[in-house]
Amino acid sequence: MSIELTILGNSSATPTLNRFPSAQYLNMLDHHILIDCGEGTQMQLRKYKIKKSKLHYIFISHVHGDHILGLPGLIFSMNLNSRLEPLHIFGPASLFEILDMFLKHSDTRLRFDIVKHITDDSKREVIFENMLIKVTSFPLYHRIPTTGFIFEEQSRLRKLNIEACERYHIPFTFYNDIKRGKDFISADGKTEISNEKLTYDSGLPIRYAYCSDTIYDKRVINEVRDVDWLYHESTFLHEKLERAIETKHTTAKQAGMVAKEANVKNLLIGHFSSRYEDLNELLEEAKTEFPQTEIAEEGITFVFE
Amino acid sequence: MSIELTILGNSSATPTLNRFPSAQYLNMLDHHILIDCGEGTQMQLRKYKIKKSKLHYIFISHVHGDHILGLPGLIFSMNLNSRLEPLHIFGPASLFEILDMFLKHSDTRLRFDIVKHITDDSKREVIFENMLIKVTSFPLYHRIPTTGFIFEEQSRLRKLNIEACERYHIPFTFYNDIKRGKDFISADGKTEISNEKLTYDSGLPIRYAYCSDTIYDKRVINEVRDVDWLYHESTFLHEKLERAIETKHTTAKQAGMVAKEANVKNLLIGHFSSRYEDLNELLEEAKTEFPQTEIAEEGITFVFE
C-alpha cells in the first residue's frame, strides 16, 4: 500500500488556459481522498483517469470559489452514476449551507448519504481516524474561515524477517502480533524471542500537510513542523508582497521560509496567480529558501516514501 | 453588424472528456450575450478567445448544475479583473438565492452591480428590449422551473440604393429616415419619391430560439414557430424515449419533429448525454425528421443570415 498525491489543479482564483483551480487526489493506504474541489475538478478526474466512484473522503479548506465550485457538479455526477456508498465531506459549516441550497433548488434527491463533518478553524483537532490513517485540521489565516489538513499514517507495522521467523519456527498465527511489535513467547512460556530478531524497522509514518490560502504566519510553521511533505500555497512572487498581504496570501519566498523554519523534508508549491505564465520563476524563488521544492504541477503524481 | 453564435458546451449533466456542459455565446448586433453557464464556462471563454469583460447579458434557463455551475466562478473572475460595468442576469428567483449565498459565504464584495431580472416560467413575456434587439422568455417543461428564450432583431433598417438616392438628389440628412422606410418629401412639398425607389429590402429580422431541457411538448412548438434558428436539446436517441420521458428530456427524433412542426429554418441539436461518443447517430436521427439539422458542436461559430 502506497501514498500518492496527484495534482488536479494549481491555479488560484482565475483559471488559466492550462491551469485549473485547486484540487488534489490523495491515495493514502487505499483511502481515496479529494482535497479541495475547484471548478472543473470532475473534468480533471476524468482526464487523469481517476474514478470518481472510488472517492469516499473530500476535505475542503474554505469556501472560496476556486476551492469548491467543482463540488456540486461532482456530487450531481456521482448521483447520476448511481452511487450508493456514503460520501464523507469535511469542511466549514457554510459549505453545507451552499450544498443544501443547490440540492434544494435543483430538486436533486441524492441516492447516497453525504456525511457532513464540520471543521472548526479556531483550533487544531483530529477530524478523522482509523487503524491506518489520521487526519488533523488546523487554523490557517485567510480572509474567511480556512483550515489546513495533515494526513498521516498511523504507526507503521514492522516488516517481518521471514528467514528469521522460519529459523525460530514461529507459527503463522503469531505473525500479525509480531508485525505490531510484540515479542514471541511460546504457548508453554519456555521460548521467548525478542521482536527485533524477527522484524525490520519499516520507517516512520509519513505525514502530508496541505496549507491552502493563508497569509505567512508563524503559527502555521508550528502546525506543520517536521512533516515529510508540505504543500503550501505560493500565490505571488515576493515582489508582490504587498498584494499578498492585502489578499492574505503567501509569496514563493515565504512558502520556502515556512518549509525551512518548520524543518519539513519536501515542499510542493501551488495556487499560482494567473499572472504567471512561467512557473519556474516561482520555483526558483522558493528554492532560494528551501532547495527541496517542487512545483505542484497539474497531472503529476508524487509518490511519498 | 452580424449575429453569431459560438457553442461553448453541449453536454448534458455529466461532462465528458471532450464535451463541456451547456453554454453559448451569442453576439447579436454587438450585444454580447451568454446563454447558460455550465461548469467550466470561464475556461471555455478563454479557450475560444471570448473576453469575459465584454459580456453584459447572461440568460439562465434553469438552475440545474450543468447550466449554472460556471456562473459563480465567472462572476468572481470578472470581479478580480476589475470589472466595473453592471452585469445583467436573467434567470429564475432561485438562481439569485444561490448566487447571494455564494457571495455571502465567500465574503465577496463585488465592485460591479449585478442587475437581477427574475424570469417567470408560467408565461411568455418580453424580458429585454431596446432599439436593436428583443428577448422573450417562454415556458419549457422540465423537472424544475425552466424557460426558453427567443433572441430577435427588431425590424431591420432598409438598405439604401445609393445610386437612386444620388439620381434623385436626396440630401444626406434624409438618409436615416429613408432607411427606416419613410418616403422622401422635399422641404417645399413639391417632390415626393416613394421609399421603394430609394431602398432595397434587407430581409426579415432574424430570430433565434433556445430550448434547453424540456420534455417534447406541443406547447413548445407554438412558442418557436417560424424562427430562423432553433437550438433544441436532444439528450437521447429515440430508443431511450422512456428515459427521456422519465427525466423530462427530448430525443433527437423529437427535436427534429419540433423543428418540422414549428416550421423553423434551421435546427441545432445539443445537450447530449455522456453515453454517446458518436454524435452523428443523434444527428442522423434528427435529420430523418428535419434535414436542415446541425450538431451544436463545441467551438463552432454559426453565423445567422
Side-chain angles (χ1 to χ4, degrees), chain A residues 27-283:
Chain A
N27 178 353
M28 190 170 214
L29 311 181
D30 282 340
H31 295 70
H32 302 279
I33 295 169
L34 187 67
I35 310 170
D36 279 343
C37 189
E39 184 174 353
T41 295
Q42 60 174 325
M43 289 81 155
Q44 296 292 85
L45 287 168
R46 194 180 272 261
K47 180 170 175 186
Y48 295 113
K49 298 190 175 23
I50 298 161
K51 285 206 162 92
K52 49 185 182 295
S53 59
K54 69 181 180 185
L55 295 174
H56 279 76
Y57 308 97
I58 299 180
F59 293 83
I60 299 291
S61 62
H62 66 302
V63 299
H64 275 155
D66 52 330
H67 297 256
I68 63 163
L69 284 174
L71 189 54
L74 178 63
I75 291 171
F76 294 148
S77 293
M78 285 172 163
N79 199 41
L80 274 173
N81 291 3
S82 305
R83 183 190 182 99
L84 293 173
E85 299 81 17
L87 179 66
H88 292 262
I89 303 181
F90 301 73
S94 52
L95 175 69
F96 300 106
E97 275 188 56
I98 292 170
L99 287 180
D100 286 346
M101 180 165 276
F102 256 122
L103 293 170
K104 181 182 107 183
H105 284 315
S106 61
D107 195 26
T108 304
R109 278 165 291 258
L110 295 181
R111 293 188 202 89
F112 61 93
D113 285 324
I114 288 182
V115 187
K116 300 173 183 176
H117 303 266
I118 294 175
T119 52
D120 180 347
D121 70 312
S122 71
K123 61 179 182 191
R124 183 182 180 97
E125 61 178 341
V126 173
I127 55 174
F128 178 82
E129 189 167 21
N130 64 16
M131 296 274 285
L132 294 170
I133 73 166
K134 183 164 92 172
V135 185
T136 305
S137 69
F138 58 91
L140 292 175
Y141 304 95
H142 192 45
R143 304 196 299 275
I144 58 171
T146 306
T147 65
F149 302 107
I150 293 175
F151 302 87
E152 60 187 298
E153 291 181 287
Q154 299 280 25
S155 309
R156 287 198 162 186
L157 297 179
R158 295 180 66 79
K159 269 189 207 154
L160 282 184
N161 177 341
I162 291 293
E163 187 271 319
C165 288
E166 285 174 356
R167 182 155 29 86
Y168 289 110
H169 304 291
I170 309 293
F172 292 137
T173 49
F174 283 75
Y175 279 12
N176 276 338
D177 277 351
I178 290 168
K179 281 194 218 166
R180 291 199 182 88
K182 290 194 179 166
D183 296 335
F184 171 74
I185 301 169
S186 63
D188 59 11
K190 285 187 184 159
T191 315
E192 186 170 338
I193 300 163
S194 72
N195 187 277
E196 62 209 33
K197 287 184 177 159
L198 301 172
T199 61
Y200 303 112
D201 188 10
S202 55
L204 287 171
I206 280 180
R207 293 193 299 152
Y208 169 52
Y210 177 80
C211 290
S212 150
D213 290 30
T214 185
I215 200 166
Y216 171 77
D217 189 297
K218 295 274 180 195
R219 289 170 291 182
V220 174
I221 294 166
N222 285 329
E223 296 291 356
V224 302
R225 197 166 293 288
D226 298 332
V227 299
D228 301 277
W229 289 81
L230 168 66
Y231 168 87
H232 202 288
E233 74 124 298
S234 176
T235 308
F236 300 105
L237 285 172
H238 204 66
E239 64 186 19
K240 290 273 176 204
L241 178 62
E242 208 173 308
R243 179 88 182 129
I245 291 169
E246 182 195 343
T247 57
K248 298 204 176 171
H249 282 300
T250 303
T251 68
K253 178 182 167 71
Q254 289 176 323
M257 286 161 62
V258 172
K260 183 171 68 179
E261 292 166 32
N263 189 41
V264 310
K265 294 200 185 63
N266 304 278
L267 172 64
L268 296 176
I269 55 170
H271 199 268
F272 307 117
S273 164
S274 61
R275 77 190 67 206
Y276 302 114
E277 286 187 15
D278 177 10
L279 300 179
N280 282 308
E281 285 181 280
L282 293 137
L283 178 64

Side-chain angles (χ1 to χ4, degrees), chain A residues 252-253 256-257 260 282-291 293:
Chain A
K253 178 182 167 71
M257 286 161 62
K260 183 171 68 179
L282 293 137
L283 178 64
E284 290 313 316
E285 185 176 285
K287 277 184 162 178
T288 60
E289 296 291 330
F290 189 78
T293 303

Side-chain angles (χ1 to χ4, degrees), chain A residues 13-17 20 39-40 42-43 46-47 63-64 68-70 72-73 80 94 97 101-102 105-107 144, chain B residues 13-17 39-43 46-47 63-64 68-70 72-73 80 94 97 101-102 105-107 144:
Chain A
T14 310
T16 72
L17 199 52
F20 276 66
E39 184 174 353
Q42 60 174 325
M43 289 81 155
R46 194 180 272 261
K47 180 170 175 186
V63 299
H64 275 155
I68 63 163
L69 284 174
L80 274 173
S94 52
E97 275 188 56
M101 180 165 276
F102 256 122
H105 284 315
S106 61
D107 195 26
I144 58 171
Chain B
T14 310
T16 72
L17 199 52
E39 183 174 354
T41 296
Q42 60 175 325
M43 289 83 154
R46 194 181 272 261
K47 180 169 177 187
V63 300
H64 276 156
I68 62 163
L69 284 174
L80 274 172
S94 52
E97 277 189 54
M101 180 165 278
F102 255 119
H105 284 314
S106 61
D107 195 26
I144 58 171

Side-chain angles (χ1 to χ4, degrees), chain B residues 4-10 23-25 48 50 268 294-303:
Chain B
E4 294 181 0
L5 180 78
T6 302
I7 308 300
L8 303 172
N10 62 18
Q24 303 185 349
Y25 163 64
Y48 295 112
I50 298 161
L268 296 175
E294 291 183 70
I295 293 173
E297 202 158 333
E298 189 189 302
I300 298 290
T301 296
F302 297 91
V303 179

